[in-house]
Amino acid sequence: MNNKLGSMIISNPKRRGLGYRFRDTSLVLATLSLWGLFGSQTYLTVTSAEFLMEQIYLMEVLKVTAIDFLVVFMVFHTWVIYERLLFRFKVKVETTL
């Protein structure tokens, strides 16, 4: 591919500080801990004796999670395609001027 997306990349040396790294690390840890809680809750539900009674609930939770993943993926995918088209349009306008 011959994409020239250099102007889309943010190059800000001020964002390399300890505060930004701490913020990013805390966001990653919070996200991973939430996913860990979700995974442990699912595991505990599957291994419990009342699993047959709660199987319908678990399937609904898994369906909602799968739909959530699909929607988030489609939103990001659409956003990336939009940004690529916008960048190509800007390059085309700049070259014609």
Side-chain angles (χ1 to χ4, degrees), residues 40-51:
S40 63
Q41 180 185 6
T42 304
Y43 175 75
L44 291 174
T45 302
V46 169
T47 57
S48 70
E50 302 92 25
F51 175 65

Side-chain angles (χ1 to χ4, degrees), residues 2-3 8 12 14 18 20 24-25 30 35 48 50 55 59-60 65 75 77-79 85-86 92-93 96:
N2 191 11
N3 291 335
M8 291 179 67
N12 189 354
K14 292 180 183 177
L18 186 61
Y20 285 100
D24 293 343
T25 304
W35 279 111
S48 70
E50 302 92 25
Q55 187 174 10
M59 287 303 172
E60 292 301 318
T65 304
V75 166
H77 185 69
T78 305
W79 177 70
L85 289 173
L86 188 64
K92 185 183 265 188
V93 168
T96 57

Side-chain angles (χ1 to χ4, degrees), residues 4-77:
K4 296 179 182 178
L5 301 176
S7 64
M8 291 179 67
I9 297 172
I10 298 171
S11 179
N12 189 354
K14 292 180 183 177
R15 294 198 179 235
R16 295 182 188 156
L18 186 61
Y20 285 100
R21 289 183 182 172
F22 178 72
R23 181 202 62 190
D24 293 343
T25 304
S26 63
L27 286 173
V28 168
L29 288 176
T31 303
L32 290 176
S33 65
L34 286 174
W35 279 111
L37 287 173
F38 175 75
S40 63
Q41 180 185 6
T42 304
Y43 175 75
L44 291 174
T45 302
V46 169
T47 57
S48 70
E50 302 92 25
F51 175 65
L52 294 176
M53 293 170 37
E54 295 178 359
Q55 187 174 10
I56 294 172
Y57 169 73
L58 179 64
M59 287 303 172
E60 292 301 318
V61 168
L62 291 176
K63 280 182 195 175
V64 168
T65 304
I67 290 170
D68 181 43
F69 273 122
L70 184 65
V71 168
V72 168
F73 176 78
M74 293 304 296
V75 166
F76 279 127
H77 185 69

